[in-house]
Amino acid sequence: MNTTQLECFVSLASTLNFAKTAEQVYLTQPAVTKEIQSLESELSAKLFIRTTRSVSLTDVGRQFLPEANSILNSYYHAKDWIASFHSKSKNTLRIGYKDSHNLPFIQAVLSEIKGDFERLIPTFSLDQPDTNLNRLVHGQVDVVIGMKDSKFKDDSIDFKLLHYDGFLVAFSKNHPVVKLAKKNKLTEISQEMLWDYPQVVHIPPYLLKNIFSKGSHVIPVNEKLDNVLCSFASEVYALVKADFGFAFVPEHLAIPDKELIFYPFKETRRAPYGIYYRKESLEAEESAVARFLEKAEELFFALRSMRLQISRIAVAKSTTIAT
């Protein structure tokens, strides 16, 4: 397997047109066909269904596409890193994160440390935590932001704790529980108030099988109702706003929104939230990773306090309006 094969595959998966792919990868159309056939032969699998009128991905092709993109990204990142290896003024910082709602926090940290380096080049890896941790172990990212994984063990990796994170409950403004909370001037929500209402469940796919197959839930879920499963906070908030249900949201992802009301969850469980990094990355002088960790610790508490304060104000206002 080589990069030419992968580039042809990724391009053809996008264009579904051999002529357009040939233009994109600067090869002739027969050459593109040869590269695709060679890759299929090497993998012992058909990646495309080709007829005289159309081209489409097979099931294997669709599943292989993310892997092909990942391989190419790693290759070109390594190539760029090696090319700039002797440039001492350049500091790359490769950041793995799980959800786009982490970006305001990441942005705040980068804004603070940018001036400490002549050339700071951040890159991002948006993916599930287990995938990004694997990249960290193999040197493909420098830090991974998220919840601590109790099953992850590697002597070369350390974890900087930022906070023991709990859950807030997110509602649309017209949710029946919100009306009840306003009526009774409540400042937090208990499990018994939620049990009869559908839920938008926010949990990473790689945890679903382990959690639900054992009947052990990080958050309470009434499985007799029509609940919806989501992977990312942006999906959760969209469905909560559309009145598909309430949602438990980790505190670090509870970004204030005028269409939502957040209440503290009375029976919340807490888990470590922080940043994974390679121990060796702190050995270099003026390490970008070291500065990122240092500033992240400072800013996290300020941003968290601001979020919780805004949440309290929103709850207080909604209760006042109700009276």
Side-chain angles (χ1 to χ4, degrees):
M1 190 184 304
N2 58 53
T3 55
T4 302
Q5 291 172 328
L6 293 174
E7 285 173 342
C8 289
F9 168 69
V10 169
S11 176
L12 186 57
S14 174
T15 65
L16 298 178
N17 185 292
F18 277 87
K20 290 181 180 179
T21 291
E23 291 178 7
Q24 288 184 357
V25 299
Y26 303 104
L27 292 173
T28 63
Q29 190 169 331
V32 170
T33 301
K34 183 178 179 181
E35 293 294 341
I36 295 296
Q37 290 174 342
S38 175
L39 180 60
E40 289 178 326
S41 176
E42 188 171 339
L43 296 175
S44 300
K46 283 290 183 183
L47 301 174
F48 294 95
I49 300 171
R50 299 182 277 274
T51 69
T52 55
R53 293 186 176 183
S54 67
V55 177
S56 61
L57 282 165
T58 63
D59 288 340
V60 172
R62 276 190 292 272
Q63 293 184 48
F64 178 61
L65 183 57
E67 297 291 338
N69 275 310
S70 177
I71 294 168
L72 284 174
N73 288 339
S74 297
Y75 168 75
Y76 285 116
H77 189 281
K79 187 176 179 181
D80 178 65
W81 175 79
I82 292 170
S84 62
F85 182 78
H86 297 292
S87 175
K88 294 182 179 180
S89 62
K90 181 175 179 179
N91 287 272
T92 59
L93 184 60
R94 301 163 297 175
I95 303 167
Y97 66 105
K98 185 259 176 187
D99 199 290
S100 60
H101 280 65
N102 285 125
L103 285 174
F105 171 54
I106 296 172
Q107 173 191 327
V109 177
L110 290 175
S111 295
E112 289 290 326
I113 70 173
K114 183 177 184 292
D116 297 339
F117 303 94
E118 184 178 344
R119 295 175 66 203
L120 179 64
I121 311 295
T123 60
F124 299 97
S125 173
L126 172 60
D127 217 324
Q128 296 299 333
D130 57 337
T131 303
N132 272 331
L133 286 174
N134 185 59
R135 291 190 178 113
L136 182 64
V137 170
H138 291 90
Q140 296 170 346
V141 297
D142 299 306
V143 295
V144 174
I145 300 171
M147 306 304 297
K148 189 172 185 180
D149 185 343
S150 60
K151 295 182 179 179
F152 175 76
K153 304 291 182 184
D154 191 290
D155 292 338
S156 67
I157 306 299
D158 214 340
F159 179 79
K160 183 176 186 64
L161 175 68
L162 295 179
H163 174 61
Y164 280 96
D165 216 44
F167 289 99
L168 299 177
V169 191
F171 299 98
S172 66
K173 291 184 176 180
N174 297 319
H175 195 282
V177 172
V178 172
K179 295 178 181 179
L180 180 63
K182 289 178 180 179
K183 180 180 178 180
N184 294 290
K185 299 182 180 179
L186 301 178
T187 57
E188 61 182 6
I189 300 297
S190 63
Q191 177 178 331
E192 62 184 23
M193 298 174 63
L194 303 169
W195 198 247
D196 294 328
Y197 297 97
Q199 182 176 345
V200 180
V201 183
H202 177 208
I203 198 161
Y206 77 97
L207 288 179
L208 281 175
K209 183 177 180 180
N210 290 335
I211 290 176
F212 287 94
S213 64
K214 296 177 182 177
S216 173
H217 300 160
V218 175
I219 53 178
V221 178
N222 185 349
E223 297 181 46
K224 295 180 180 179
L225 303 179
D226 293 328
N227 303 304
V228 184
L229 300 178
C230 291
S231 304
F232 300 101
S234 53
E235 299 169 357
V236 170
Y237 289 144
L239 292 177
V240 170
K241 291 177 186 178
D243 289 321
F244 278 83
F246 71 91
F248 292 104
V249 182
E251 289 174 357
H252 70 276
L253 295 180
I255 296 176
D257 187 304
K258 64 181 180 180
E259 296 182 54
L260 297 170
I261 291 181
F262 294 91
Y263 279 89
F265 178 45
K266 185 176 181 180
E267 296 91 356
T268 191
R269 295 185 184 182
R270 295 192 173 273
Y273 170 80
I275 305 174
Y276 283 98
Y277 61 95
R278 293 195 308 280
K279 294 176 181 178
E280 65 181 26
S281 63
L282 301 188
E283 296 174 0
E285 294 183 8
E286 300 180 354
S287 162
V289 172
R291 284 294 293 137
F292 187 88
L293 295 174
E294 178 185 342
K295 189 55 64 174
E297 187 172 29
E298 290 179 24
L299 290 180
F300 180 79
F301 291 101
L303 291 172
R304 176 177 174 272
S305 298
M306 179 187 72
R307 288 174 182 169
L308 292 179
Q309 183 62 25
I310 291 174
S311 176
R312 292 189 188 103
I313 291 172
V315 169
K317 283 184 176 179
S318 67
T319 304
T320 303
I321 293 172
T323 58

